[in-house]
């Protein structure tokens, strides 16, 4: 096995907005390096903030709710994000759940906290040109549905792909893996990844994670770690006391040009211009744009 070495580290800085606090880990400048991944953002939202009615076209969106915080003893049914879209879908994303949205030709949706502070992560994955205009779809994946792999000192929630022989049952249109990994103090893991795939990690919690080789510098939380070529990713938790939690994400590159304009991800500027026209004029997938409003 050839171990992938770290080629870039990106610290996700705070970006305040009216909707909440965002840490942006992948931006437009990283598209070529991280194909097929378009955006990765860690968010913290509380009422009245949140992600109000907004459109998408041309990508897959994974919304992963990491934590919910409250100072009161309340039923978990109100500690969640409420999602709705113009196709009539409506549901709740609780701590540990994933909302998997294929935007395709167009969708308008909202993701709003019901109460208290919700911390999560959103990953956008590009669609190939042949799939840009497919019908939109939603899949809700509850925490209890996700298979978990174990070995000494290592726990892996397999959201997509395979780890330690445990396969996710969920189909991704883009071949990829999405692993939520926790390493106990002084433990390590070595994850096989197809050599041709793009791979990166995002550190959620813990400041003593070492990636790529055991003599590398430790990486702090909220850092995105981009790996070079190879067929294995190695990670060590050098802390004596604190677990390390990170996401390991990898996917097969598409190899097509990417032009992003806000929530629209297409291949050319002309396609972006047409998408904006479609959205403003309520056509070609955005027929409900002028009439639909979330509750």
């Amino acid at each position: 096995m050839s171990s992938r070495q770290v080629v870039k580290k990106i610290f996700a800085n705070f970006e305040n907005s009216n909707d909440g606090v965002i840490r942006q880990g992948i931006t437009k400048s990283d598209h070529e390096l991280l194909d097929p991944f378009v955006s990765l953002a860690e968010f913290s939202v509380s009422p009245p903030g949140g992600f109000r009615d907004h459109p998408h076209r041309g990508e897959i969106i994974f919304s992963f709710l990491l934590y919910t915080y409250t100072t009161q003893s309340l039923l978990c049914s109100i500690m969640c994000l409420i999602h709705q879209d113009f196709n009539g879908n409506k549901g709740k994303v609780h701590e540990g759940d994933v909302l998997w949205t294929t935007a395709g030709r167009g969708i308008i949706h909202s993701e709003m906290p019901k109460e208290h502070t919700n911390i999560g992560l959103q990953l956008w994955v590009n669609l190939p040109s042949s799939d840009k205009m497919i019908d939109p779809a939603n899949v809700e994946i509850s925490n209890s549905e996700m298979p978990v792999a174990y070995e000494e000192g290592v726990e892996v929630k397999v959201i997509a792909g395979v780890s330690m022989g445990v396969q996710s049952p969920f189909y991704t249109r883009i071949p990829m893996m999405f692993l939520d990994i926790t390493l106990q103090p002084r433990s390590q893991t070595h994850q096989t990844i197809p050599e041709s795939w793009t791979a990166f990690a995002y550190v959620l919690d813990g400041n003593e994670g070492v990636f790529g080789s055991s003599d590398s510098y430790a990486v702090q939380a909220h850092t995105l770690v981009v790996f070079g070529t190879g067929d294995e990713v190695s990670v060590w938790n050098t802390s004596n006391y604190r677990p390390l939690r990170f996401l390991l994400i990898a996917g097969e590159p598409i190899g097509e040009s990417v032009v992003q304009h806000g929530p629209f991800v297409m291949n050319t500027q002309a396609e972006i211009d047409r998408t904006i026209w479609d959205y403003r004029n309520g056509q070609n997938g955005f027929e409900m744009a002028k009439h639909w409003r979330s509750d």
Side-chain angles (χ1 to χ4, degrees):
M1 305 291 286
S2 57
S3 182
R4 292 178 179 237
Q5 300 303 300
V6 176
V7 298
K8 187 175 184 179
K9 298 176 184 177
I10 304 168
F11 182 73
N13 288 307
F14 282 115
E15 297 179 12
N16 289 304
S17 71
N18 293 331
D19 299 323
V21 177
I22 306 293
R23 289 179 178 270
Q24 194 73 43
I26 298 176
T27 64
K28 293 180 181 179
S29 63
D30 305 307
H31 286 172
E32 185 174 351
L33 178 65
L34 287 170
D35 180 18
F37 305 107
V38 177
S39 175
L40 181 133
E42 185 180 349
F43 62 83
S44 176
V45 293
S46 305
F51 305 107
R52 297 170 179 82
D53 302 1
H54 62 280
H56 288 276
R57 175 181 277 180
E59 76 266 40
I60 302 170
I61 305 109
F62 292 86
S63 298
F64 184 20
L65 192 56
L66 299 170
Y67 315 102
T68 55
Y69 287 119
T70 177
T71 58
Q72 304 176 42
S73 178
L74 296 168
L75 294 175
C76 66
S77 62
I78 68 171
M79 296 165 59
C80 58
L81 288 175
I82 305 294
H83 72 88
Q84 301 179 60
D85 68 44
F86 69 0
N87 288 323
N89 298 305
K90 183 176 181 179
K92 299 176 180 178
V93 182
H94 295 93
E95 184 174 306
D97 296 350
V98 170
L99 174 64
W100 187 330
T101 302
T102 301
R105 65 200 301 258
I107 196 167
I108 301 175
H109 69 173
S110 65
E111 295 164 297
M112 299 294 291
K114 185 172 177 63
E115 293 192 28
H116 312 295
T117 300
N118 291 262
I119 296 175
L121 183 136
Q122 193 168 92
L123 173 71
W124 296 4
V125 185
N126 192 20
L127 283 169
S129 57
S130 58
D131 290 340
K132 291 288 189 188
M133 299 299 284
I134 61 174
D135 290 336
N138 264 334
V139 178
E140 292 181 27
I141 307 174
S142 70
N143 186 36
S144 61
E145 292 179 284
M146 300 176 195
V148 181
Y150 298 96
E151 61 182 28
E152 186 176 356
V154 183
E155 178 182 305
V156 183
K157 182 184 294 184
V158 187
I159 300 169
V162 62
S163 179
M164 295 187 285
V166 176
Q167 174 78 51
S168 169
F170 306 108
Y171 167 75
T172 56
R173 186 170 291 274
I174 304 299
M176 61 175 290
M177 64 173 53
F178 191 142
L179 308 177
D180 179 4
I181 302 176
T182 300
L183 296 185
Q184 294 304 314
R186 311 306 302 182
S187 61
Q188 59 184 273
T189 189
H190 306 274
Q191 173 68 44
T192 300
I193 296 175
E195 190 167 5
S196 62
W197 286 18
T198 300
F200 69 90
Y202 184 75
V203 181
L204 297 171
D205 191 25
N207 292 317
E208 297 187 55
V210 173
F211 294 80
S213 60
S214 58
D215 58 352
S216 297
Y217 291 108
V219 175
Q220 63 180 310
H222 313 296
T223 300
L224 188 143
V225 180
V226 183
F227 298 103
T229 57
D231 52 16
E232 183 180 75
V233 165
S234 298
V235 186
W236 294 261
N237 182 8
T238 59
S239 172
N240 290 317
Y241 309 104
R242 187 175 179 180
L244 171 70
R245 185 184 180 193
F246 63 96
L247 302 177
L248 181 58
I249 297 171
E252 184 175 52
I254 296 172
E256 297 178 348
S257 61
V258 176
V259 179
Q260 179 188 353
H261 179 86
F264 304 137
V265 182
M266 304 302 287
N267 296 110
T268 66
Q269 185 59 48
E271 291 173 345
I272 289 290
D273 295 342
R274 180 56 190 261
T275 297
I276 294 171
W277 173 269
D278 288 344
Y279 175 60
R280 290 175 176 172
N281 291 278
Q283 60 187 32
N284 292 329
F286 290 114
E287 283 76 8
M288 297 289 289
K290 293 184 177 180
H291 308 289
W292 180 82
R293 299 293 183 271
S294 60
D295 296 341

